[in-house]
Amino acid sequence: MGTRSRGRQGQELSIDAVRFDAGHGERIKPPLTAAQRRRLMALATRVRLPPRTIIYREGDPLSDIFIVGEGLVKSFRDLASGRRRIVHFLFPRDVFGLAETGRYVNTTKTITESLIYRIPHETLTVALHRDAELQFRFLCKVTEKLREAHRQCIVLGRRDAIGRLAMFFKMLEPDGTGRHHGGLIPVPMRRTDIAEYLGLSAEAVSRAARLLAVRKIVAFEGDHAVRVKDRAGFESLVAAA
Amino acid sequence: MGTRSRGRQGQELSIDAVRFDAGHGERIKPPLTAAQRRRLMALATRVRLPPRTIIYREGDPLSDIFIVGEGLVKSFRDLASGRRRIVHFLFPRDVFGLAETGRYVNTTKTITESLIYRIPHETLTVALHRDAELQFRFLCKVTEKLREAHRQCIVLGRRDAIGRLAMFFKMLEPDGTGRHHGGLIPVPMRRTDIAEYLGLSAEAVSRAARLLAVRKIVAFEGDHAVRVKDRAGFESLVAAA
DNA sequence: CGTCATTTTGAGGTATTTCAACGAAGGTGG
DNA sequence: CCACCTTCGTTGAAATACCTCAAAATGACG
């Protein structure tokens, strides 16, 4: 497969990582009405999956669109070099199942135990054609994901590991300010996952994390939580770009 | 602005870089019917802009959605460090005008003389609600752009300048194989633009380009065209990831 | 033909990668 | 319940590659 997009322009629904609410930021009215949500859920099958379960593999024929109910899922690609790149993490309410030419483009795997909803993609396509408003919500959500992907590009463009890691934590921050959670940021994924997401070696992530702690910018509380100690320093690192 | 997306979930149309046709790859039936295209064009205003003209700035209030008719546009962001990052290039038939919370997120500027169509975003929103099929085309296109953004993330994740540059050229290749154009790839943008897109310094791009030429993988024909000389070597560089 | 912007080239500094090894943690089986 | 094993995380040291600074060369434009 080349780098250039050349997806078939058929009726297939191909959405990846579309969140149904306003994201981790300011809570705005949910883009889906209760009725829409109900109808959508009626089309779905629920599955509960243990950690490290592969949901589908890159290249598998497209069948369903998935929605994360609970848990954490990673979407990644194995490169020719043997290296693995995580394209994005999928949190509750994220939609995934991006396909091209009728095949999934990434492999997805649960990180923690997860509750997953699946909807046959034709079913969803039909529903979207019936309900223009519902479809518009999807459109908004995909554009939102597009913005997020662009932001990730900015992160990856940075050269310094410490800055990338800071931006990553910032991305994980529930409300973006730390006001309501005392600067505590949950970090459900493993270090190697972070490394594969940020395009760094695991060692570099480890060193950057230690540096953040040594500089008293954050304090780690176990492997799966960080607390921002120096908000000003943290934000200036994030903004340094 | 934080790194986390927190766009308002209103009726604003916020689409960036949505191509109306099948992209540079295999030519498939255009996603827009002639009638849809005609109607869309009826809503638009045409403008012809000289090179290096700013179309809108980051932070400007959202007013229109734009479509490239001819020429080349770049969409970029100035970072706190004073560095500039090009988020993407916009080719003919690409749509742009991505906004968040009612404001454009990037600055856009013509690179070459361009023909631009502009449609008030409310007008387009209404049209999309009226025509579910038209909206579905938009949805498909945005997801396509999302895939492209993911691919760019892969490129940016690479550590070697020469590999990134190779992937960039590959991205620019009209049909992805070189079969129909003798491996000749037009490169309309300047070196510095490429550098800002790839997250490299201009010097690194220059050196990588020379290296590609020295290794006889490509040959430059002026500053705005490259010819792939060693297809196998080229592809293996691209795939090396 | 001169001026300005872009591109290229050179040399040194710095950051991350890589390779290697150790320590810790989680899961499995006896 | 403990020992073992696999995986993950950390730390150290050397190598590589890009960045930065500086300056020359090329090209565009008036």
Side-chain angles (χ1 to χ4, degrees), chain A residues 161-179:
Chain A
I162 195 173
R164 279 199 247 192
L165 187 59
M167 286 184 90
F168 180 73
F169 288 148
K170 175 78 177 177
M171 197 181 83
L172 252 43
E173 191 152 46
D175 68 357
T177 66
R179 231 163 309 175

Side-chain angles (χ1 to χ4, degrees), chain A residues 3-4 14 143 151 170, chain B residues 3 14 135 143 151 170-171:
Chain A
T3 23
R4 191 76 203 174
S14 41
T143 59
R151 228 164 340 227
K170 175 78 177 177
Chain B
T3 24
S14 41
Q135 191 185 171
T143 59
R151 233 171 326 234
K170 177 76 178 177
M171 198 182 81

Side-chain angles (χ1 to χ4, degrees), chain B residues 83 160-161 200-201 203-204 207:
Chain B
R83 192 164 292 162
D160 57 328
L200 296 169
S201 64
E203 294 93 327
R207 282 186 252 264

Side-chain angles (χ1 to χ4, degrees), chain B residues 53-210:
Chain B
T53 307
I54 290 195
I55 302 174
Y56 57 77
R57 287 194 157 78
E58 175 182 351
D60 283 353
L62 167 64
S63 57
D64 300 284
I65 299 296
F66 303 84
I67 304 174
V68 181
E70 305 164 8
L72 180 63
V73 173
K74 63 178 170 183
S75 170
F76 62 91
R77 218 177 290 191
D78 286 309
L79 303 177
S81 60
R83 192 164 292 162
R84 170 174 293 180
R85 292 294 316 275
I86 290 182
V87 178
H88 46 211
F89 294 103
L90 302 160
F91 297 90
R93 288 171 182 267
D94 276 345
V95 177
F96 61 104
L98 183 66
E100 186 169 21
T101 325
R103 299 192 172 276
Y104 293 115
V105 294
N106 298 316
T107 302
T108 50
K109 190 177 190 176
T110 56
I111 290 181
T112 64
E113 179 183 289
S114 305
L115 178 66
I116 304 293
Y117 296 90
R118 60 193 304 162
I119 305 178
H121 84 275
E122 305 94 341
T123 307
L124 186 52
T125 302
V126 170
L128 290 186
H129 272 88
R130 289 230 183 90
D131 186 343
E133 187 56 31
L134 176 65
Q135 191 185 171
F136 193 74
R137 300 306 182 190
F138 265 81
L139 185 54
C140 290
K141 285 330 215 162
V142 182
T143 59
E144 187 185 315
K145 279 298 162 182
L146 187 56
R147 288 193 299 265
E148 233 173 73
H150 289 162
R151 233 171 326 234
Q152 192 190 344
C153 287
I154 303 284
V155 174
L156 290 172
R158 293 190 68 155
R159 201 126 306 275
D160 57 328
I162 195 172
R164 279 199 246 191
L165 187 60
M167 286 185 89
F168 180 73
F169 288 147
K170 177 76 178 177
M171 198 182 81
L172 253 42
E173 191 153 46
D175 68 357
T177 66
R179 228 164 311 174
H180 306 304
H181 52 280
L184 187 67
I185 304 171
V187 184
M189 60 289 288
R190 283 169 301 142
R191 292 282 184 269
T192 56
D193 287 326
I194 298 175
E196 285 167 7
Y197 181 80
L198 293 179
L200 296 169
S201 64
E203 294 93 327
V205 172
S206 178
R207 282 186 252 264
R210 193 169 51 74

